[in-house]
């Protein structure tokens, strides 16, 4: 009987608790064998003790088998959990049971498709319900497979973690080659980079588009000047029979670091006719200020061509600026572009010329702003923008005063109000009929009739005593 009990335990240990039915059948066979010899055992005085020992051995074997099965299942579950993150792909059924969200996120998408959830949505879970709709669902550590229909054709359950929103990966559309204002003479693309150690200005001439040629065909070239030096220039190659030339040329100017911020780069675009005569199509003026030569230098820029002013300067010079009014933001914008033909006073080579822009209401100053100073130039270029807060109800009594001033050597534009050495070279006032006439009144009314558009005009400066 002891040998039979040991044999039974070996059989149970071999099957590891997974074939209990077979073990029970074997045990029934052992009982039948015991019944055949029971009469012999009962005839002996020690038969009852042997039966008790057999029953105790069976009970102990069953308990030992149950404990062994429990430990074996725990061991198998631990091994499967440790190997899951290292597997290449987890089966959907196993993922549905354990639901390792981070594991499915890494293995359920192709490696070339980025999956980046915005910070504001990282605590949310999004699933597509329809092709054109997005719905927010409550977070579930193990989402049900019924949320998304099975589109793969198999019967595997799917546990959705998130989806990719294509709107997050779109770059802003570049409209520089599509949006051209009415009456545009053409557009020029270029790059500017200054090497401070070598004191060299590198200019890249890239391309031009929509040049307005005087004839059917256009053969453009570009001349580059570094103002105020008008005698020396660099010239590009002539592109034959095209209104959209591609230049891809580079030019180098040697200029000191002390004077580069006071220079202006001028691009003059010409058409070369059959007799090799040059006809000016337009020009671009680019001031070389600290902002243009900063850390962003070398990037591609574009500017619209401007027609050269053929009229001679007025007695006190002329000033060009743009006006724009945004009725939605109640904001008045002034862009001071350049001046020409200024009558500088003493110390011409050291004079600093700047423009003071003042917003007035009922002839009282509301706010005043100043441009940077240009050293010793009768034709300074600024290209600076200023904004003022102006309510639409105040436009009937408001006006703008632009005054060109010259400061003595050593004085800066920020010290104008405190030093009497600053001299007024000219002044122009634009506004409603109460304060302006002629071109100044027309500029103001055109600005109001075209909200959110820049209106550019030249204005003759008046003597400060007369304005």
């Amino acid at each position: 009987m002891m040998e039979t009990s040991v044999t039974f335990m070996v059989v149970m240990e071999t099957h590891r608790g997974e074939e209990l039915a077979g073990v029970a059948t074997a045990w029934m066979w052992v009982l039948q064998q015991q019944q055949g010899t029971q009469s012999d055992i009962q005839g002996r005085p020690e038969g009852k003790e042997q039966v008790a020992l057999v029953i105790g051995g069976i009970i102990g074997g069953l308990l030992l088998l149950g404990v062994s099965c429990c430990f074996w299942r725990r061991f198998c579950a631990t091994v499967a959990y440790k190997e899951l993150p290292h597997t290449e792909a987890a089966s959907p059924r196993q993922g549905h049971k354990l639901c390792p969200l981070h594991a499915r996120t890494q293995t359920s998408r192709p490696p070339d498709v980025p999956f980046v959830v915005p910070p504001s949505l990282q605590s949310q879970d999004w699933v597509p319900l329809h092709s054109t709709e997005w719905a927010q669902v409550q977070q579930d550590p193990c989402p049900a497979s019924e949320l998304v229909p099975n589109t793969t054709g198999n019967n595997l359950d799917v546990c959705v973690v998130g989806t990719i929103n294509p709107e997050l990966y779109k770059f802003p559309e570049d409209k520089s080659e599509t949006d051209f204002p009415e009456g545009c003479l053409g557009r020029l693309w270029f790059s500017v980079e200054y090497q401070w150690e070598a004191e060299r200005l590198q200019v890249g001439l890239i391309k031009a588009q929509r040049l307005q040629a005087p004839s059917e065909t256009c053969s453009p070239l570009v001349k580059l000047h570094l103002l105020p030096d008008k005698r020396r220039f660099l010239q590009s190659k002539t592109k034959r029979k095209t209104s959209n030339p591609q230049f891809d040329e580079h030019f180098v100017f040697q200029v000191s670091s002390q004077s580069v911020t006071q220079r202006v780069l001028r691009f003059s675009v010409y058409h070369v006719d059959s007799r090799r005569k040059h006809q000016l199509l337009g020009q671009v003026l680019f001031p070389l200020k600290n902002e243009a030569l900063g850390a962003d230098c070398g990037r591609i820029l574009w500017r619209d061509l401007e027609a050269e002013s053929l009229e001679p300067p007025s007695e006190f010079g002329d000033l060009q600026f743009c006006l724009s009014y945004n009725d939605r933001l109640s904001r008045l914008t002034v862009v001071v572009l350049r001046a020409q033909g200024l009558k500088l006073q003493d110390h011409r080579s050291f004079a600093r010329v700047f423009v003071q822009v003042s917003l007035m209401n009922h002839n009282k100053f509301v706010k005043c702003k100043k441009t940077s100073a240009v050293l010793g130039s009768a034709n300074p270029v600024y290209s600076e923008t200023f904004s003022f807060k102006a309510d639409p109800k105040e436009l009937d009594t408001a006006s703008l005063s632009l005054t060109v001033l010259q400061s003595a050597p050593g004085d800066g534009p920020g010290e104008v109000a405190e030093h009497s050495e600053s001299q007024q070279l000219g002044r122009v006032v634009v506004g409603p009929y109460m304060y302006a006439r002629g071109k100044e009144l027309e500029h103001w009314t055109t600005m109001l009739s075209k909200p959110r558009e820049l209106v550019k005009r030249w204005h003759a400066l008046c003597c400060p005593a007369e304005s």
Side-chain angles (χ1 to χ4, degrees):
M1 293 299 293
M2 294 299 294
E3 295 178 357
T4 303
S5 176
V6 173
T7 304
F8 172 75
M9 292 178 62
V10 172
V11 172
M12 296 296 288
E13 182 64 19
T14 305
H15 289 78
R16 297 175 183 175
E18 298 180 357
E19 298 178 2
L20 295 178
V23 175
T25 304
W27 174 237
M28 293 298 296
W29 178 83
V30 173
L31 291 179
Q32 291 176 1
Q33 295 296 325
Q34 291 178 356
Q35 289 176 1
T37 58
Q38 185 175 6
S39 58
D40 297 336
I41 296 174
Q42 292 177 354
R44 300 177 184 177
E46 64 275 7
K48 295 183 179 181
E49 297 179 358
Q50 291 180 358
V51 172
L53 291 175
V54 170
I55 294 175
I58 292 173
I59 295 174
L62 291 176
L63 293 176
L64 181 61
L65 181 60
V67 174
S68 300
C69 292
C70 181
F71 279 106
W72 176 256
R73 289 186 177 181
R74 288 190 179 182
F75 176 75
C76 292
T78 305
V79 173
Y81 175 77
K82 291 183 178 179
E83 292 181 353
L84 182 60
H86 301 284
T87 56
E88 296 182 358
S91 64
R93 293 186 181 275
Q94 184 178 0
H96 181 71
K97 294 178 181 180
L98 300 178
C99 194
L101 295 181
H102 62 279
R104 282 200 311 277
T105 303
Q106 297 176 358
T107 59
S108 61
R109 72 178 191 274
D112 55 339
V113 179
F115 187 88
V116 179
V117 181
S120 59
L121 303 178
Q122 286 182 357
S123 60
Q124 302 175 356
D125 210 3
W126 297 83
V127 295
L129 297 182
H130 302 284
S131 58
T132 58
E133 297 182 3
W134 291 81
Q136 183 180 2
V137 297
Q138 296 180 355
Q139 289 191 358
D140 189 356
C142 192
S145 59
E146 298 82 27
L147 294 178
V148 178
N150 189 5
T151 59
T152 58
N154 52 26
N155 296 324
L156 299 178
D157 296 334
V158 179
C159 188
V160 177
V161 175
T163 56
I164 296 176
N165 186 0
E167 299 295 333
L168 300 177
Y169 304 96
K170 288 186 177 180
F171 292 95
E173 183 181 358
D174 184 13
K175 299 183 179 181
S176 62
E177 299 186 8
T178 56
D179 292 351
F180 290 86
E182 183 180 356
C184 179
L185 301 177
R187 186 167 291 176
L188 187 69
W189 280 262
F190 58 94
S191 63
V192 178
E193 183 177 1
Y194 184 73
Q195 298 179 353
W196 294 93
E197 296 181 358
E199 294 188 338
R200 292 191 306 178
L201 179 67
Q202 294 185 348
V203 182
L205 182 61
I206 301 174
K207 63 180 179 180
Q209 286 190 3
R210 293 200 180 184
L211 299 179
Q212 305 298 322
S215 59
E216 296 182 357
T217 60
C218 181
S219 299
L221 65 83
V222 181
K223 294 182 179 180
L224 292 83
H225 293 81
L226 198 57
L227 303 179
D229 187 3
K230 296 183 179 181
R231 292 179 297 177
R232 291 176 291 183
F233 63 90
L234 300 177
Q235 180 176 313
S236 70
K237 297 179 181 179
T238 303
K239 303 297 179 179
R240 299 292 178 181
K241 297 181 180 180
T242 176
S243 298
N244 304 300
Q246 189 79 25
F247 295 100
D248 293 327
E249 300 183 36
H250 297 273
F251 307 91
V252 177
F253 291 92
Q254 198 71 34
V255 55
S256 65
S257 58
Q258 298 179 353
S259 62
V260 65
T261 55
Q262 300 293 329
R263 311 295 285 273
V264 177
L265 184 62
R266 182 175 70 181
F267 300 87
S268 301
V269 183
Y270 292 89
H271 164 65
V272 183
D273 58 14
S274 58
R275 294 175 294 178
R276 295 186 178 180
K277 289 186 177 181
H278 295 180
Q279 302 180 20
L280 182 64
L281 302 180
Q283 63 180 4
V284 172
L285 297 175
F286 185 74
L288 300 176
K289 299 181 180 181
N290 293 329
E291 295 81 3
L293 304 178
D296 256 351
C297 65
R299 71 182 189 279
I300 297 178
L301 307 170
W302 61 267
R303 294 291 188 274
D304 289 335
L305 298 183
E306 300 177 357
E308 186 180 24
S309 178
L310 301 179
E311 298 180 0
S314 60
E315 180 181 1
F316 298 98
D318 299 278
L319 182 66
Q320 186 186 38
F321 57 92
C322 301
L323 295 179
S324 175
Y325 183 72
N326 192 325
D327 51 353
R328 296 179 181 177
L329 302 178
S330 300
R331 182 177 298 171
L332 179 62
T333 302
V334 183
V335 183
V336 181
L337 297 175
R338 53 177 171 160
Q340 66 175 9
L342 300 179
K343 307 300 181 182
L344 301 182
Q345 306 298 326
D346 298 334
H347 310 289
R348 293 176 59 91
S349 57
F350 301 100
R352 297 183 179 183
V353 183
F354 59 96
V355 180
Q356 177 178 289
V357 184
S358 303
L359 176 64
M360 307 180 68
N361 194 354
H362 292 289
N363 285 330
K364 295 182 180 180
F365 284 95
V366 178
K367 199 167 188 179
C368 180
K369 298 184 179 181
K370 305 180 182 67
T371 67
S372 59
V374 176
L375 183 63
S377 175
N379 304 293
V381 179
Y382 299 101
S383 297
E384 298 186 22
T385 304
F386 306 98
S387 296
F388 300 91
K389 194 71 174 180
D391 192 84
K393 300 179 181 179
E394 301 175 355
L395 295 179
D396 294 336
T397 57
S399 62
L400 282 172
S401 173
L402 292 91
T403 306
V404 182
L405 299 104
Q406 172 186 343
S407 61
D411 293 337
E415 303 173 351
V416 174
E418 300 177 4
H419 293 78
S420 59
E421 293 85 359
S422 298
Q423 302 177 359
Q424 293 187 8
L425 303 180
R427 182 172 177 240
V428 58
V429 178
V430 293
Y433 186 79
M434 185 183 302
Y435 305 103
R437 300 288 189 277
K439 292 183 178 180
E440 290 74 22
L441 175 61
E442 184 268 339
H443 196 179
W444 184 267
T445 55
T446 304
M447 173 199 69
L448 297 179
S449 62
K450 297 180 179 180
R452 299 183 295 279
E453 292 186 15
L454 287 174
V455 182
K456 180 169 55 178
R457 295 288 189 275
W458 277 100
H459 294 278
L461 297 176
C462 300
C463 179
E466 299 177 358
S467 56

